[in-house]
Amino acid sequence: MAAKEILTRRPVAATIKLTVPAGGARPAPPVGPALGQYRLNLMAFCKDFNARTQKYKPETPMAVSITAFKDNTFEFTVKSPSVTWYLKKAAGIESGSGRPGHVTASTLSLKHVYEIAKVKQNDHYLQNMSLEAITKSIIGTANSMGIQIVRNLD
Amino acid sequence: MMTAWHFLKHLNCTPTLQLLRSSSFSLNRYSSSLFFLSIHTTAPDQWPPRPQFKNSHANSSTPSLAVQSMASPVPAPANYVSVLLRCNKDISDMLAEALLSFGASSVTMNEDDVCPGTDEICVSSIFLEGEDINTSISHAADSIGLKEIPRYEVKILEENDWMKGAQELFHPVEVTEGLWVVPKWITPPDSQAMNIVLNPGLAFGTGDHPTTKLCLLLLHDCIKGGEHILDYGTGTGILAIAALKFGASFAVGVDIDSQAIASASQNATLNNIGPDKLQLHLIASQTLSSSRDDWPFSVVEGENASEMETVTHKDKYDVVVANILLNPLLNLADQIIFSAKPGAMIGLSGILSEQVENVLQKYSPFLEGIEVSKMDDWACVSGRKRMNIDIC
């Protein structure tokens, strides 16, 4: 089985990485120049990417990795922004605390964390993690940034 | 000590890159007021088409502010910069991520660019105008702990380079027996067949995509002759044009993208379809957060109100087709149903198979005889508008 897979695997021409707003791929920069140079079907990518990112809030910057094959076909994977991005956005801050553990950059409620966890669960590589596990991981990241998580925000 | 060594190619002066102006108009800020413009291109062979905007209702004495600001000239093609870097294979992924964080628009690692005899590979990165490339690269290198800024070359590339590449992919497609979609620059493989000739440009709809095919097949089956069609998200105009060729008597295509309207307008001409048969309208996109109370045509005042009604007049269309995306389909459900006559055929696509449930949930109160057709990962939901529903 594995041998057959290797034989039929298409030769890769390039790997392209870029950031595209969820639901907002257009045949214009950054997508146009990046994909156009490898003669990839721009419109098909846009349609596919936009359809697959409908579940994310519009304009969320998605990390896209495209594998362009030598026959001009392609595959791509999509990742939502990092947890740190979501935390900073929720807290309305540009950067975390310079001294996490000593200086609090901001405070968020468990509800914020839960909302972030729900979005991150959409990411393919996290699908096997329980919501609880993802939530714990996010709280850990928040603490390392100097963002305090409380039960409720008054 | 940082040593930066780079040389600039293809430049004969200090680069001051042209302001990159989006080649499609952003209408989002006008989402609270709706306006209609009919687009007429007078030079069909000009590419990219430069639409000339005209207010379609010249008798209004005070054109709305939105129309006046739309009359600005179309921007010139934008240039962008391609930077070629060399770095060690091990860190190329990290460097790619770092470059993206520090201003690169995209980063590409070409499989064939492995420099023989070394552990280095070439990484190319695209930067748009306004970015200070040297600063971006040095920050990126710094952030991953590189002691030196990698050597790099800079090339200025033009918009046309990638646009042309994108267009070359279009080839004739036989959607079903006797129905072909053919690029304007290729002779139809079967001159006896019904051939839809297209110059798609940067709009969606060449007959290749499963969703386009599903919608074309739906139209092919349900159009008997004389129908009025509404094509929501018309793109290249392919569905509206096909519907007319199948025997519909009149079609309206709407889209939120001016590129689409320009392309559709050109394609209408290519297929000898005049404004008496096909009308195209550029509409403002509805923002996702808007509620039912924010229907575009409920907020418009004055002269514009009659323009709205011309396009989406209650009970006007016999067939409404919308090949867009899940969220707009859900948000526009009321308008889509509203614009259809009782018993009209409604076709909804641009959705993945996994999204069919969402669409059914929203639309099944209004449709009967619902069918779902699928091709690859994509689906089309169709049904007829129930006879006795009041939507206010």
Side-chain angles (χ1 to χ4, degrees):
Chain A
M1 220 20 151
K4 190 180 176 193
E5 250 179 39
I6 293 169
L7 285 173
T8 55
R9 200 186 294 158
R10 291 168 282 176
V12 176
T15 305
I16 305 169
K17 290 188 197 276
L18 65 165
T19 306
V20 187
R26 304 219 49 246
V31 178
L35 274 69
Q37 62 180 316
Y38 286 96
R39 303 279 186 267
L40 302 181
N41 191 332
L42 274 182
M43 301 313 304
F45 170 77
C46 292
K47 189 87 167 172
D48 208 330
F49 171 85
N50 289 339
R52 290 182 198 283
T53 53
Q54 288 292 286
K55 55 189 161 207
Y56 294 96
K57 196 162 170 214
E59 303 306 310
T60 304
M62 310 297 294
V64 188
S65 182
I66 301 167
T67 306
F69 298 102
K70 291 204 164 133
D71 59 357
N72 293 339
T73 57
F74 62 89
E75 282 169 1
F76 66 92
T77 57
V78 169
K79 268 175 33 181
S80 60
S82 61
V83 168
T84 47
W85 184 88
Y86 276 107
L87 286 168
K88 283 190 221 170
K89 194 151 191 297
I93 54 176
E94 280 292 311
S95 63
S97 157
R99 295 180 62 215
H102 299 273
V103 175
T104 303
S106 186
T107 310
L108 289 175
S109 74
L110 261 183
K111 188 171 189 301
H112 284 116
V113 174
Y114 178 63
E115 293 299 325
I116 297 173
K118 282 205 292 188
V119 175
K120 288 306 277 180
Q121 207 181 28
N122 282 326
D123 272 0
H124 200 255
Y125 73 105
L126 287 175
Q127 257 166 21
N128 296 325
M129 277 179 81
S130 70
L131 208 56
E132 193 195 352
I134 299 175
T135 306
K136 281 198 180 144
S137 167
I138 294 172
I139 294 175
T141 306
N143 289 335
S144 75
M145 287 167 70
I147 294 178
Q148 207 184 15
I149 305 294
V150 296
R151 259 206 125 61
N152 296 302
L153 278 180
D154 309 301
Chain B
M1 186 149 48
M2 295 273 207
T3 47
W5 175 68
H6 59 272
F7 54 91
L8 301 172
K9 277 188 176 176
H10 306 297
L11 297 175
N12 46 22
C13 63
T14 317
T16 47
L17 292 171
Q18 252 176 334
L19 179 68
L20 176 80
R21 279 178 279 175
S22 168
S23 52
S24 73
F25 291 87
S26 161
L27 296 174
N28 291 328
R29 59 184 183 272
Y30 298 121
S31 58
S32 62
S33 71
L34 188 59
F35 50 89
F36 285 103
L37 301 169
S38 293
I39 314 301
H40 309 278
T41 51
T42 54
D45 278 75
Q46 190 184 21
W47 191 260
R50 304 298 192 196
Q52 288 102 48
F53 294 92
K54 285 190 208 162
N55 188 335
S56 60
H57 290 256
N59 55 9
S60 58
S61 51
T62 49
S64 68
L65 188 62
V67 173
Q68 281 178 332
S69 54
M70 289 278 297
S72 51
V74 179
N79 295 333
Y80 58 97
V81 170
S82 173
V83 175
L84 202 62
L85 289 148
R86 280 184 168 196
C87 70
N88 202 293
K89 250 189 297 198
D90 299 336
I91 57 141
S92 62
D93 269 342
M94 278 191 348
L95 183 59
E97 299 293 338
L99 285 167
L100 286 170
S101 307
F102 283 102
S105 154
S106 64
V107 179
T108 304
M109 282 150 291
N110 194 312
E111 285 297 305
D112 292 337
D113 280 346
V114 182
C115 316
T118 70
D119 281 331
E120 290 192 322
I121 72 166
C122 287
V123 171
S124 76
S125 184
I126 292 177
F127 285 83
L128 304 179
E129 65 79 37
E131 294 296 336
D132 181 337
I133 296 170
N134 199 43
T135 307
S136 298
I137 295 180
S138 70
H139 280 154
D142 211 19
S143 76
I144 60 171
L146 289 184
K147 294 204 190 72
E148 290 184 337
I149 300 181
R151 303 187 297 193
Y152 62 93
E153 293 173 24
V154 176
K155 223 171 29 159
I156 291 198
L157 298 169
E158 279 182 52
E159 196 171 58
N160 290 327
D161 290 342
W162 63 264
M163 274 187 185
K164 263 194 239 120
Q167 286 164 42
E168 278 164 23
L169 290 172
F170 184 20
H171 58 96
V173 177
E174 186 174 26
V175 179
T176 182
E177 205 177 309
L179 172 65
W180 285 81
V181 182
V182 182
K184 149 185 157 167
W185 54 87
I186 293 184
T187 320
D190 179 358
S191 56
Q192 301 303 315
M194 181 181 291
N195 292 309
I196 300 171
V197 182
L198 291 185
N199 186 4
L202 295 177
F204 180 83
T206 57
D208 210 20
H209 200 268
T211 56
T212 313
K213 285 186 187 159
L214 288 171
C215 290
L216 284 171
L217 292 169
L218 176 73
L219 290 172
H220 190 247
D221 288 341
C222 79
I223 290 179
K224 308 295 171 208
E227 290 93 341
H228 284 209
I229 316 288
L230 175 61
D231 180 7
Y232 231 110
T234 195
T236 56
I238 184 174
L239 298 181
I241 292 171
L244 290 167
K245 286 200 174 242
F246 295 150
S249 64
F250 180 71
V252 172
V254 303
D255 207 298
I256 57 171
D257 183 0
S258 59
Q259 295 264 356
I261 300 299
S263 170
S265 180
Q266 228 202 53
N267 290 323
T269 310
L270 280 174
N271 289 279
N272 301 314
I273 292 170
D276 56 318
K277 303 217 116 212
L278 175 63
Q279 293 235 326
L280 297 164
H281 293 277
L282 185 62
I283 56 175
S285 79
Q286 190 184 36
T287 54
L288 251 50
S289 53
S290 56
S291 62
R292 276 191 65 168
D293 294 337
D294 277 351
W295 289 10
F297 46 82
S298 68
V299 193
V300 172
E301 307 108 21
E303 302 94 353
N304 288 336
S306 59
E307 291 177 55
M308 304 324 105
E309 297 211 323
T310 330
V311 176
T312 49
H313 184 73
K314 184 175 160 59
D315 293 346
K316 190 179 182 200
Y317 298 98
D318 304 291
V319 179
V320 178
V321 64
N323 184 4
I324 37 186
L325 288 165
L326 175 66
N327 291 338
L329 281 177
L330 298 177
N331 293 330
L332 294 168
D334 292 322
Q335 281 141 274
I336 288 174
I337 304 288
F338 197 69
S339 58
K341 286 185 188 163
M345 172 64 80
I346 296 178
L348 311 162
S349 194
I351 50 176
L352 299 162
S353 294
E354 69 204 33
Q355 297 170 333
V356 167
E357 269 314 305
N358 301 61
V359 174
L360 289 176
Q361 216 175 40
K362 186 79 179 190
Y363 280 85
S364 52
F366 309 111
L367 301 179
E368 56 194 3
I370 294 179
E371 283 178 14
V372 179
S373 56
K374 293 192 183 177
M375 197 184 287
D376 299 338
D377 261 347
W378 302 90
C380 176
V381 173
S382 61
R384 293 200 176 266
K385 177 172 171 175
R386 289 184 202 261
M387 300 304 275
N388 304 315
I389 28 175
D390 293 326
I391 303 180
C392 319

